[in-house]
Amino acid sequence: MGKILKTYLMPHPPIILPEVGRGEERKIQNTIDSCNEIATQIKNIKPDTIVIITPHGPVFNDAVAISYGTSISGDLKKFGADEVSLSFNNDKRLVDEIYAYSNGEGVMVAKIDKNSASIYGVEYELDHGALVPLYFIEKEYKDFNLIHITYGMLSKMELYRFGMALEKALDHAGKNAVIIGSGDLSHKLKELGPYEYSPCGPKFDEEIIKYLGEGNILDIFNMDPTTIEGAGECGMRSIYIMAGAMNDYSIDGQVLSYEGPFGVGYGVVKFNIEKSNENRYEEIVKSREEKFKNKLESANSYVKLARNSLTHYLTYGTYMDMPEYVTDHMKNEARGVFVSLKIDGNLRGCIGTFLPTTKNVASEIIKNAVEAGEHDPRFSPVHLEELKDIDFSVDVLTKPEKASISELDPKEYGVIVKSGRKSGLLLPDLEGVNTVEEQLNIVLRKAGIEEDEPYELEKFKVIRYKE
């Protein structure tokens, strides 16, 4: 029988290494000291296996990726540190166990070796999200096999179940393991950071550090998805998987350090854990059901219609009839409508029409909700069991009117560009689109129109309804 010996959250800024930072790393000395402390602890407990979960390997929309070669290596050449190079042996038999248990949890796993990496168009290597934490550990302890996992863009419930499968595989394989969740926190803490400042950044970091220090998994799962999305983090999915792996353990969290001088939050957290009879998954499912019930009860007619339309189609394979709760305004007005689907703040589908294609707004919502769930080419079709994790929003568009660049405002107006048969549309008030230049660059790229081509410009407003 195997078990998880310790679990850690570690950041991965290459600047933390002296070979990259060249003195700048001293600004996050507390983070360095905490990473060294973790390396010493790992040397003392001597795990058979180290599992590292990273955001920066091959990321798939529908699967978790696990490296499957006999070994894996990587370096930091792209960060100007050719001399930082690490290589580790993989435990392929353990990967097979994880794969089998994940299938049992209904979570797709992609086993990545050099051949499959070539097929998928990804790299088979240790990314910096893995290299930076392992840099500290390898200096103190080398006698372990590595399991290199890249999280997928799955729902937090799927990632949690993958963590549960990971723990079962370690137990069945008789492996004593350390799990490291690699992830930085908000990237939007300061105006001079790598991304534009957002008030969601400090709010997110304060909340997640508090909950991690308390070992409070339920409150982590109940964090506001808008805050998470606005923070620009890259560590939450690693945390969801770690939490799932600790599902049957009592958790004592300890924040070793937190810093953010470069505009990115770096949290180092240790979890002392002990096998118990807890089943935290049941608590999370119960809380999720309660939130879903409240969401349905408080929904306005627009998003209620969108949700019911897609639910009906996925259940029966046909479009729903017009329900009684649809208002006269929705039946008497014809407008373009966009329906957007998000899971944990991340887009899951979005389809719409900038001019009406049906007799009224209600019919437009019914049609476009199905289109967003079934036919957005960027995503696989939505499954019925996903609907509880999906948040619906409906944008009702005003009639587009001709405009000049000087009249645009990306927060107030959406924009349409046309050049011959090519056209593109971008909705207003989108996260990360803050200037007219950014708005035009994106919409021209969507339309396949070069910046020096002549094009017509239209603007419109939306009335946005959200769950």
Side-chain angles (χ1 to χ4, degrees):
M1 304 288 283
K3 65 177 182 178
I4 303 171
L5 303 173
K6 281 280 194 302
T7 305
Y8 301 98
L9 176 69
M10 298 180 70
H12 52 246
I15 198 172
I16 200 174
L17 310 185
E19 294 88 345
V20 178
R22 306 184 191 282
E24 285 294 293
E25 74 277 4
R26 289 192 287 271
K27 295 178 181 177
I28 45 175
Q29 189 62 47
N30 290 340
T31 303
I32 294 170
D33 293 343
S34 297
C35 290
N36 283 325
E37 180 180 340
I38 288 174
T40 301
Q41 290 178 10
I42 291 174
K43 178 182 70 173
N44 292 335
I45 61 179
K46 298 180 171 54
D48 309 315
T49 303
I50 291 180
V51 178
I52 190 154
I53 306 155
T54 173
H56 296 301
V59 176
F60 297 104
N61 281 327
D62 57 354
V64 174
I66 309 182
S67 299
Y68 192 60
T70 55
S71 64
I72 186 167
S73 59
D75 58 56
L76 291 179
K77 286 181 181 177
K78 67 178 69 174
F79 297 98
D82 297 19
E83 66 273 32
V84 179
S85 177
L86 298 174
S87 183
F88 302 95
N89 292 325
N90 279 340
D91 189 336
K92 293 184 66 174
R93 291 182 63 182
L94 179 54
V95 174
D96 288 333
E97 293 263 13
I98 298 168
Y99 182 87
Y101 277 103
S102 296
N103 282 342
E105 293 289 349
V107 181
M108 189 180 300
V109 167
K111 295 190 283 190
I112 305 296
D113 56 18
K114 290 183 179 179
N115 182 54
S116 60
S118 177
I119 294 170
Y120 287 125
V122 297
E123 299 293 330
Y124 181 77
E125 63 181 6
L126 283 177
D127 58 284
H128 77 272
L131 278 166
V132 173
L134 290 170
Y135 171 96
F136 292 94
I137 295 163
E138 197 265 350
K139 287 183 178 300
E140 296 291 333
Y141 182 66
K142 306 177 190 295
D143 191 19
F144 64 89
N145 287 324
L146 185 70
I147 297 294
H148 176 252
I149 296 171
T150 306
Y151 63 57
M153 304 304 286
L154 305 176
S155 74
K156 58 190 175 186
M157 299 300 289
E158 290 174 299
L159 295 172
Y160 192 94
R161 292 201 304 273
F162 173 77
M164 293 168 62
L166 171 61
E167 191 275 333
K168 291 174 184 175
L170 291 167
D171 182 34
H172 187 260
K175 301 295 183 181
N176 291 326
V178 163
I179 298 180
I180 297 170
S182 174
D184 296 336
L185 303 182
S186 174
H187 290 59
K188 299 184 177 183
L189 296 179
K190 296 185 176 183
E191 293 288 354
L192 298 178
Y195 298 92
E196 183 169 331
Y197 168 79
S198 168
C200 293
K203 183 175 187 292
F204 169 81
D205 279 16
E206 181 180 357
E207 288 184 14
I208 193 66
I209 285 294
K210 176 179 183 290
Y211 298 147
L212 289 170
E214 296 170 346
N216 188 343
I217 302 302
L218 187 59
D219 277 350
I220 289 173
F221 265 74
N222 287 330
M223 286 179 67
D224 176 24
T226 303
T227 299
I228 296 172
E229 181 185 18
E233 51 71 41
C234 70
M236 279 298 277
R237 287 179 173 78
S238 295
I239 292 169
Y240 293 143
I241 293 174
M242 285 195 304
M246 297 186 290
N247 182 65
D248 299 333
Y249 289 75
S250 60
I251 303 173
D252 176 23
Q254 181 185 354
V255 178
L256 300 181
S257 65
Y258 170 79
E259 297 180 291
F262 303 123
V264 178
Y266 305 130
V268 185
V269 185
K270 173 178 71 172
F271 301 96
N272 297 315
I273 57 177
E274 187 171 341
K275 195 75 172 176
S276 71
N277 293 321
E278 295 187 45
N279 185 347
R280 214 167 282 106
Y281 183 69
E282 292 181 358
E283 294 180 51
I284 293 170
V285 169
K286 183 179 179 181
S287 173
R288 173 176 174 255
E289 293 290 342
E290 189 65 30
K291 286 181 68 178
F292 182 65
K293 179 182 175 182
N294 293 337
K295 181 162 61 175
L296 293 184
E297 290 176 351
S298 62
N300 60 67
S301 298
Y302 291 82
V303 292
K304 182 178 181 180
L305 182 60
R307 176 177 288 280
N308 288 348
S309 172
L310 183 55
T311 302
H312 186 279
Y313 190 89
L314 295 179
T315 305
Y316 302 107
T318 60
Y319 287 94
M320 69 184 294
D321 295 329
M322 191 72 69
E324 292 182 0
Y325 60 77
V326 168
T327 66
D328 290 342
H329 188 70
M330 294 167 71
K331 287 188 283 191
N332 295 335
E333 186 176 46
R335 292 280 186 90
V337 169
F338 272 74
V339 176
S340 300
L341 317 177
K342 287 188 174 183
I343 294 181
D344 302 330
N346 296 285
L347 192 65
R348 182 63 179 87
C350 179
I351 294 289
T353 46
F354 67 89
L355 293 174
T357 61
T358 63
K359 59 184 179 181
N360 55 38
V361 167
S363 298
E364 207 80 17
I365 292 172
I366 291 172
K367 179 175 74 74
N368 289 346
V370 173
E371 290 296 309
E374 289 284 283
H375 302 302
D376 189 328
R378 298 167 293 180
F379 304 96
S380 60
V382 168
H383 299 293
L384 192 62
E385 59 271 18
E386 288 183 85
L387 289 175
K388 288 185 179 179
D389 295 317
I390 290 176
D391 293 312
F392 285 72
S393 66
V394 174
D395 287 346
V396 180
L397 280 62
T398 63
K399 185 178 179 180
E401 57 185 70
K402 290 190 176 184
S404 63
I405 292 176
S406 63
E407 296 176 287
L408 298 182
D409 179 342
K411 296 300 179 185
E412 183 176 2
Y413 294 109
V415 64
I416 299 168
V417 292
K418 298 178 182 178
S419 179
R421 295 185 176 181
K422 295 184 288 188
S423 66
L425 177 147
L426 197 67
L427 294 171
D429 197 22
L430 297 178
E431 176 70 28
V433 182
N434 300 298
T435 67
V436 171
E437 183 180 18
E438 290 171 339
Q439 187 182 45
L440 286 176
N441 285 340
I442 294 170
V443 73
L444 289 171
R445 190 164 61 246
K446 286 181 68 175
I449 300 172
E450 299 294 332
E451 289 188 34
D452 57 355
E453 284 186 63
Y455 59 86
E456 296 177 3
L457 192 61
E458 294 179 321
K459 66 178 182 179
F460 60 91
K461 290 184 178 182
V462 304
I463 305 169
R464 181 162 293 165
Y465 303 90
K466 300 170 67 175
E467 287 186 323

